[in-house]
mmCIF file of all heavy atoms in Angstrom:
data_model
loop_
_atom_site.group_PDB
_atom_site.id
_atom_site.type_symbol
_atom_site.label_atom_id
_atom_site.label_comp_id
_atom_site.label_asym_id
_atom_site.label_seq_id
_atom_site.Cartn_x
_atom_site.Cartn_y
_atom_site.Cartn_z
ATOM 1 N N TYR P 618 -2.676 9.916 -6.069
ATOM 2 C CA TYR P 618 -2.097 9.217 -4.874
ATOM 3 C C TYR P 618 -1.754 7.821 -5.337
ATOM 4 O O TYR P 618 -2.633 7.026 -5.790
ATOM 5 C CB TYR P 618 -3.096 9.154 -3.730
ATOM 6 C CG TYR P 618 -2.677 8.345 -2.575
ATOM 7 C CD1 TYR P 618 -1.490 8.456 -1.890
ATOM 8 C CD2 TYR P 618 -3.516 7.268 -2.145
ATOM 9 C CE1 TYR P 618 -1.086 7.645 -0.867
ATOM 10 C CE2 TYR P 618 -3.170 6.483 -0.969
ATOM 11 C CZ TYR P 618 -1.945 6.684 -0.385
ATOM 12 O OH TYR P 618 -1.595 5.893 0.669
ATOM 13 N N GLY P 619 -0.492 7.429 -5.199
ATOM 14 C CA GLY P 619 0.021 6.117 -5.689
ATOM 15 C C GLY P 619 -0.163 5.023 -4.738
ATOM 16 O O GLY P 619 0.055 3.821 -5.115
ATOM 17 N N GLY P 620 -0.551 5.289 -3.552
ATOM 18 C CA GLY P 620 -0.684 4.241 -2.565
ATOM 19 C C GLY P 620 -2.078 3.581 -2.636
ATOM 20 O O GLY P 620 -2.870 3.849 -3.596
ATOM 21 N N ALA P 621 -2.384 2.723 -1.665
ATOM 22 C CA ALA P 621 -3.703 2.014 -1.672
ATOM 23 C C ALA P 621 -4.814 3.084 -1.370
ATOM 24 O O ALA P 621 -4.618 3.784 -0.320
ATOM 25 C CB ALA P 621 -3.705 0.918 -0.631
ATOM 26 N N ALA P 622 -5.805 3.216 -2.097
ATOM 27 C CA ALA P 622 -6.822 4.247 -2.048
ATOM 28 C C ALA P 622 -7.438 4.399 -0.661
ATOM 29 O O ALA P 622 -7.718 5.504 -0.186
ATOM 30 C CB ALA P 622 -7.911 4.033 -3.062
ATOM 31 N N GLU P 623 -7.571 3.239 0.052
ATOM 32 C CA GLU P 623 -8.192 3.254 1.376
ATOM 33 C C GLU P 623 -7.234 3.828 2.399
ATOM 34 O O GLU P 623 -7.531 3.986 3.579
ATOM 35 C CB GLU P 623 -8.744 1.910 1.762
ATOM 36 C CG GLU P 623 -7.717 0.853 2.093
ATOM 37 C CD GLU P 623 -6.998 0.229 0.889
ATOM 38 O OE1 GLU P 623 -7.336 0.562 -0.321
ATOM 39 O OE2 GLU P 623 -6.082 -0.579 1.083
ATOM 40 N N TRP P 624 -5.953 4.078 2.030
ATOM 41 C CA TRP P 624 -4.927 4.662 2.869
ATOM 42 C C TRP P 624 -4.625 6.140 2.599
ATOM 43 O O TRP P 624 -3.699 6.700 3.134
ATOM 44 C CB TRP P 624 -3.613 3.803 2.798
ATOM 45 C CG TRP P 624 -3.660 2.639 3.674
ATOM 46 C CD1 TRP P 624 -4.349 1.474 3.491
ATOM 47 C CD2 TRP P 624 -2.873 2.443 4.893
ATOM 48 N NE1 TRP P 624 -4.145 0.567 4.523
ATOM 49 C CE2 TRP P 624 -3.228 1.172 5.385
ATOM 50 C CE3 TRP P 624 -2.046 3.224 5.636
ATOM 51 C CZ2 TRP P 624 -2.703 0.648 6.590
ATOM 52 C CZ3 TRP P 624 -1.465 2.736 6.780
ATOM 53 C CH2 TRP P 624 -1.766 1.427 7.304
ATOM 54 N N ILE P 625 -5.502 6.748 1.799
ATOM 55 C CA ILE P 625 -5.185 8.062 1.309
ATOM 56 C C ILE P 625 -5.124 9.078 2.494
ATOM 57 O O ILE P 625 -4.339 10.061 2.470
ATOM 58 C CB ILE P 625 -6.223 8.549 0.253
ATOM 59 C CG1 ILE P 625 -5.698 9.849 -0.451
ATOM 60 C CG2 ILE P 625 -7.565 8.878 0.911
ATOM 61 C CD1 ILE P 625 -6.417 10.213 -1.686
ATOM 62 N N ARG P 626 -5.778 8.774 3.605
ATOM 63 C CA ARG P 626 -5.744 9.729 4.773
ATOM 64 C C ARG P 626 -4.304 9.821 5.295
ATOM 65 O O ARG P 626 -3.892 10.839 5.811
ATOM 66 C CB ARG P 626 -6.628 9.210 5.858
ATOM 67 C CG ARG P 626 -6.804 10.195 7.042
ATOM 68 C CD ARG P 626 -7.678 9.581 8.094
ATOM 69 N NE ARG P 626 -7.967 10.528 9.178
ATOM 70 C CZ ARG P 626 -7.105 10.765 10.224
ATOM 71 N NH1 ARG P 626 -5.939 10.081 10.304
ATOM 72 N NH2 ARG P 626 -7.408 11.611 11.170
ATOM 73 N N SER P 627 -3.487 8.762 5.011
ATOM 74 C CA SER P 627 -2.106 8.777 5.543
ATOM 75 C C SER P 627 -1.113 9.508 4.597
ATOM 76 O O SER P 627 0.056 9.646 4.830
ATOM 77 C CB SER P 627 -1.596 7.357 5.755
ATOM 78 O OG SER P 627 -1.545 6.677 4.495
ATOM 79 N N TRP P 628 -1.650 9.957 3.482
ATOM 80 C CA TRP P 628 -0.826 10.633 2.419
ATOM 81 C C TRP P 628 -0.483 12.045 2.880
ATOM 82 O O TRP P 628 -1.369 12.765 3.316
ATOM 83 C CB TRP P 628 -1.611 10.655 1.117
ATOM 84 C CG TRP P 628 -0.953 11.181 -0.070
ATOM 85 C CD1 TRP P 628 0.399 11.180 -0.336
ATOM 86 C CD2 TRP P 628 -1.541 11.775 -1.249
ATOM 87 N NE1 TRP P 628 0.650 11.779 -1.560
ATOM 88 C CE2 TRP P 628 -0.560 12.129 -2.135
ATOM 89 C CE3 TRP P 628 -2.886 12.059 -1.536
ATOM 90 C CZ2 TRP P 628 -0.812 12.742 -3.382
ATOM 91 C CZ3 TRP P 628 -3.211 12.619 -2.755
ATOM 92 C CH2 TRP P 628 -2.093 13.012 -3.692
ATOM 93 N N LYS P 629 0.789 12.399 2.741
ATOM 94 C CA LYS P 629 1.204 13.713 3.212
ATOM 95 C C LYS P 629 0.424 14.824 2.492
ATOM 96 O O LYS P 629 0.212 15.902 3.076
ATOM 97 C CB LYS P 629 2.689 13.907 3.111
ATOM 98 C CG LYS P 629 3.194 13.875 1.717
ATOM 99 C CD LYS P 629 4.715 14.180 1.602
ATOM 100 C CE LYS P 629 5.209 14.057 0.145
ATOM 101 N NZ LYS P 629 4.232 14.230 -0.921
#
Side-chain angles (χ1 to χ4, degrees):
Y618 171 55
E623 71 282 357
W624 276 73
I625 195 167
R626 187 181 185 276
S627 65
W628 183 27
K629 63 176 178 19

